[in-house]
Amino acid sequence: MEKLKIAGGYPLKGTVRISGAKNSAVALIPATILAESPVTIDGLPNISDVQILSDLIEEIGGKVNLDNEEINIDPSNIVSMPLPNGKVKKLRASYYLMGAMLGRFKKAVIGLPGGCHLGPRPIDQHIKGFEALGAKITNEQGAIYLRAEELRGARIYLDVVSVGATINIMLAAVRAKGQTIIENAAKEPEIIDVATLLTSMGARIKGAGTDVIRIDGVDYLHGCRHTIIPDRIEAGTYMVIGAAMGEQVLIDNVIPLHLESLIAKFREMGVTVETRNDQILVMGNKNLKAVDVKTLVYPGFPTDLQQPFTSLLTKATGTGMVTDTIYGARFKHIDELRRMNAQIKVEGRSAIVSGPVQLQGAKVKASDLRAGAALIVAGLMAEGVTEITGVDHIDRGYSLLEEKLSGLGATIWREKMTQEEIEQLQNS
Ligand code: EPU
């Protein structure tokens, strides 16, 4: 096990290149199962979630060549077999294997997916969609069994706007008979990215990126090449870092439109932001004004940036309230920020941040991916050295983290944890 150390308090400057989107990658890789000839995806992030999914595809018979940012998957020999539980539990997005396997083989067996602990994260809407398409679903000894004689298109209204359910239903529906209509669909850019890949594979999808998606099923999907979209959450995290500590930080390989809600908040706070075609320039400001933020489905403020944004607010003058309407329990980073001298209290679904305070380096623990991002931002802002454990969470989603931050002038490094530290962490 490793820990990250950051010597904070120094201004940052330079250019950071954003990697491909994690939340697209984890859907695009399973989507390749639906094709019957090789698919190449390029621009992938170098993160553990990609590695785990590519191992999973290999275990079910796919021929995989993962080389740096490019993956080539030949899915022709994939067989429908129970998915290995250990790996499935490591990431929540392994639920996309359900939709993809169901779409191709009309059956799938999968353990209950794991992932970040953000409070209850049901998958009832995924199940509702699969059932509407004709699948029978049973829960047997901790595993989900999906079986269908045939999949038939259906009209499905999502009771909750869900990224995962929208994508999963699309995956199952592209090879179903007839037309599927998903109403109250999620509109996140990752959904458009998955629809673009599926369309290149021969699927017929209209309306991805709006709240009504129409899919006309086809019998056969073929291989293609696809370039993934840039990771808007990674970009947003570096923008927050730029606003907190940056003299001038240029975010390269980004789609500014994907980050309009964050840019609007920055302007309200007094951060200078300039957008170009595929770049965003962020200039920090010592006198930030506190603002309130409420997370919403896209194009609202993303829940995945709520935690790093909270770290930034500690530096702003006044009281700012961060309310998470998507995950009401996504506040495990707050106790850790308090250890670093932050003045924050949690009331229900809101964190109330009073500032400005000077954060101090401390030993802290990342309990989920974006909590880790919040602690990295805080570590860069703090005086002294911050030591972050729980690094495996961060490695799930941030590609080449130390290289990118060092490129901006940060002092960040990794150390092996001692046996005693590992035991302390496991007991905490
Ligand atoms: N929900 C249900 N029933 C369902 C599905 C979702 O009640 O069947 C609820 C959830 O509990 C949550 C809300 O609906 O309150 C939205 O959940 P959604 O399904 O949209 O989330 P997800 O697909 O599981 C993805 C991202 C998350 C991101 C959310 C929200 C992936 C792999 N994960 O999760 O990303 O927070 O959308 O935008 O795409 C992260 O990157 O750190 C991360 C957690």
Side-chain angles (χ1 to χ4, degrees):
M1 264 193 202
E2 292 174 322
K3 58 188 175 185
L4 276 172
K5 283 191 163 178
I6 301 174
Y10 301 105
L12 303 176
K13 192 173 179 178
T15 301
V16 59
R17 187 171 168 80
I18 300 307
S19 300
K22 160 185 149 325
N23 288 345
S24 274
V26 296
L28 296 173
I29 294 172
T32 64
I33 294 176
L34 288 156
E36 303 208 22
S37 51
V39 181
T40 301
I41 302 169
D42 63 57
L44 284 175
N46 185 345
I47 53 174
S48 59
D49 274 11
V50 164
Q51 187 62 55
I52 294 169
L53 274 171
S54 101
D55 292 347
L56 272 164
I57 299 284
E58 241 170 8
E59 285 186 38
I60 56 174
K63 205 166 144 225
V64 180
N65 186 5
L66 176 59
D67 182 17
N68 194 15
E69 292 192 345
E70 186 167 301
I71 196 168
N72 181 273
I73 299 175
D74 181 352
S76 42
N77 292 324
I78 288 184
V79 286
S80 175
M81 59 188 268
L83 289 153
N85 213 5
K87 290 209 177 71
V88 164
K89 280 213 173 321
K90 281 196 183 151
L91 84 160
R92 181 169 166 81
S94 46
Y95 56 37
Y96 291 133
L97 294 163
M98 289 197 270
M101 300 279 275
L102 186 63
R104 171 138 174 221
F105 301 109
K106 317 295 171 240
K107 60 181 176 186
V109 184
I110 181 171
L112 289 170
C116 285
H117 300 292
L118 311 175
R121 295 176 75 184
I123 55 165
D124 55 299
Q125 299 302 307
H126 305 230
I127 303 290
K128 169 178 159 170
F130 296 150
E131 283 177 339
L133 295 172
K136 297 253 175 310
I137 293 152
T138 51
N139 198 334
E140 297 168 27
Q141 292 161 351
I144 304 176
Y145 284 71
L146 303 98
R147 304 176 181 97
E149 292 282 310
E150 67 166 5
L151 293 173
R152 289 174 309 278
R155 182 181 280 266
I156 301 158
Y157 180 88
L158 295 181
D159 303 315
V160 183
V161 180
S162 158
V163 176
T166 303
I167 293 179
N168 232 343
I169 296 168
M170 257 185 354
L171 294 176
V174 283
R175 290 184 63 167
K177 288 205 172 1
Q179 189 176 64
T180 299
I181 301 175
I182 310 175
E183 292 174 320
N184 202 25
K187 296 183 281 201
E188 269 67 1
E190 292 75 20
I191 291 161
I192 304 180
D193 204 20
V194 176
T196 305
L197 169 75
L198 292 169
T199 305
S200 305
M201 283 161 57
R204 293 172 60 201
I205 304 173
K206 284 195 186 132
T210 76
D211 55 9
V212 181
I213 302 179
R214 286 189 167 76
I215 302 155
D216 287 300
V218 295
D219 292 335
Y220 168 84
L221 293 176
H222 51 76
C224 65
R225 171 177 274 277
H226 177 80
T227 302
I228 192 169
I229 57 168
D231 194 315
R232 65 195 166 98
I233 306 300
E234 188 199 19
T237 306
Y238 284 103
M239 286 169 67
V240 169
I241 289 169
M245 296 310 289
E247 286 174 349
Q248 279 208 353
V249 172
L250 183 67
I251 318 288
D252 185 35
N253 188 37
V254 60
I255 300 175
L257 183 70
H258 290 173
L259 285 146
E260 279 195 333
S261 57
L262 179 64
I263 293 171
K265 278 294 152 191
F266 272 6
R267 293 198 168 128
E268 220 178 303
M269 293 178 85
V271 179
T272 306
V273 187
E274 278 174 24
T275 60
R276 304 168 183 172
N277 282 344
D278 60 351
Q279 295 182 322
I280 301 176
L281 181 68
V282 179
M283 282 168 273
N285 171 354
K286 289 202 169 52
N287 302 308
L288 297 179
K289 206 170 96 205
V291 292
D292 293 339
V293 165
K294 189 183 270 188
T295 70
L296 293 167
V297 295
Y298 187 81
F301 194 95
T303 167
D304 296 338
L305 286 176
Q306 169 271 101
Q307 291 157 294
F309 192 84
T310 301
S311 301
L312 173 64
L313 271 182
T314 64
K315 180 176 171 164
T317 303
T319 302
M321 183 152 81
V322 179
T323 304
D324 199 324
T325 70
I326 313 285
Y327 297 116
R330 206 172 198 179
F331 289 117
K332 294 217 180 90
H333 56 302
I334 300 293
D335 281 342
E336 307 304 302
L337 289 177
R338 281 204 199 106
R339 274 181 221 279
M340 298 178 71
N341 197 36
Q343 305 287 313
I344 310 179
K345 56 183 180 181
V346 175
E347 283 180 11
R349 286 177 164 256
S350 301
I352 299 153
V353 189
S354 305
V357 296
Q358 172 60 58
L359 295 178
Q360 303 294 332
K363 290 188 177 182
V364 289
K365 176 175 144 189
S367 53
D368 60 77
L369 169 59
R370 308 302 171 187
L375 297 176
I376 287 163
V377 175
L380 293 166
M381 293 164 71
E383 266 176 357
V385 174
T386 296
E387 193 175 302
I388 306 174
T389 55
V391 177
D392 50 326
H393 290 295
I394 300 170
D395 290 339
R396 288 190 40 228
Y398 286 91
S399 189
L400 309 173
L401 178 76
E402 292 102 288
E403 284 92 321
K404 291 188 186 188
L405 284 173
S406 304
L408 295 177
T411 307
I412 175 166
W413 67 102
R414 231 169 242 254
E415 284 180 10
K416 283 230 166 325
M417 288 173 73
T418 63
Q419 192 52 38
E420 196 185 338
E421 285 173 328
I422 294 173
E423 280 163 22
Q424 266 175 12
L425 180 69
Q426 283 162 348
N427 296 330
S428 67

